[in-house]
Amino acid sequence: MGELVGYARVSSTGQDLTVQLDKLQDYGCRRIFEEKKSGTSANRAELQECLRYLRDDDTLVVSKLDRLARSTLHLTQIAHDLEQRNINLVGIDQAIDTTTPTGKLLFNMLASIAEFETAIRAERQAEGIAKAQANGVQFGAKPKISNEQVREMRQKRSEGVLIRELMVEYGLSKASVYRLLN
């Protein structure tokens, strides 16, 4: 049997890892990678280091599966990579242990349900956006200047006012001034 390796993550620096660390230590992990980074961030250095550290027959232990991955797809990719490398995965709170057939089944069922929920949520969101747009709701950033100010800016430019002066006067970047002048 290989090593039990823990991974603990909280989303922000104000949150505390103590509960997760206690669970991982109680489970038997001697090496624990700790991270204070949003789950949605693709740049999680400690997770990457943890995944590199793991060897054949090791077990990666997390308190909950959502601490490990930023999405169902990401979780499935990590689990597949671990399986290919003969590394087990344990989610303590969900009682998932991929060393057992039941644990593998439970993991795949939970991943499938989560993927289904994500698809349903995306459908509802798309329907809501379409309905809002049909009702005249505008999405995206609000214009920094009005149409009247754009006409005024174009007039000033035609009179020879420099781009940098327009940038300062209207509080816009060079790219925005050029875009609005065209």
Side-chain angles (χ1 to χ4, degrees):
M1 172 97 181
E3 184 178 3
L4 295 175
V5 178
Y7 175 73
R9 180 187 60 78
V10 290
S11 297
S12 67
T13 53
Q15 293 177 319
D16 189 18
L17 287 165
T18 306
V19 173
Q20 290 180 59
L21 295 175
D22 288 347
K23 285 181 183 183
L24 295 170
Q25 288 167 349
D26 290 347
Y27 195 84
C29 297
R30 297 295 161 247
R31 177 72 164 104
I32 300 173
F33 292 83
E34 304 173 28
E35 196 140 54
K36 292 190 176 187
K37 198 104 176 198
S38 171
T40 59
S41 173
N43 182 22
R44 290 188 285 156
E46 287 299 309
L47 174 60
Q48 296 310 315
E49 184 61 32
C50 176
L51 294 173
R52 277 192 296 276
Y53 178 85
L54 292 163
R55 298 291 175 250
D56 184 28
D57 206 33
D58 283 351
T59 299
L60 175 58
V61 183
V62 292
S63 62
K64 294 180 184 173
L65 292 177
D66 69 352
R67 302 294 81 202
L68 185 59
R70 62 184 186 273
S71 68
T72 305
L73 176 62
H74 188 223
L75 179 61
T76 306
Q77 289 169 338
I78 290 173
H80 179 72
D81 175 60
L82 294 174
E83 185 178 8
Q84 295 297 309
R85 295 170 53 201
N86 195 34
I87 297 167
N88 302 304
L89 175 62
V90 169
I92 297 171
D93 291 357
Q94 291 108 339
I96 292 176
D97 181 348
T98 62
T99 62
T100 68
T102 304
K104 282 184 181 177
L105 174 66
L106 184 56
F107 173 81
N108 286 318
M109 286 173 42
L110 287 174
S112 295
I113 291 168
E115 191 172 321
F116 175 72
E117 287 176 340
T118 300
I120 294 294
R121 193 170 35 253
E123 268 182 30
R124 287 189 192 129
Q125 182 181 17
E127 288 171 2
I129 289 170
K131 186 175 182 177
Q133 286 175 328
N135 291 331
V137 174
Q138 301 261 332
F139 289 89
K142 303 287 183 248
K144 289 188 174 32
I145 64 174
S146 67
N147 288 337
E148 178 59 36
Q149 288 174 307
V150 171
R151 284 191 289 276
E152 182 182 289
M153 184 173 58
R154 286 179 180 155
Q155 178 62 38
K156 288 181 179 184
R157 180 65 180 147
S158 71
E159 294 169 359
V161 176
L162 299 174
I163 296 291
R164 69 172 172 266
E165 292 171 3
L166 295 173
M167 290 168 54
V168 171
E169 182 177 346
Y170 292 98
L172 299 170
S173 69
K174 182 189 281 189
S176 292
V177 171
Y178 276 111
R179 182 176 43 79
L180 291 168
L181 288 174
N182 288 329

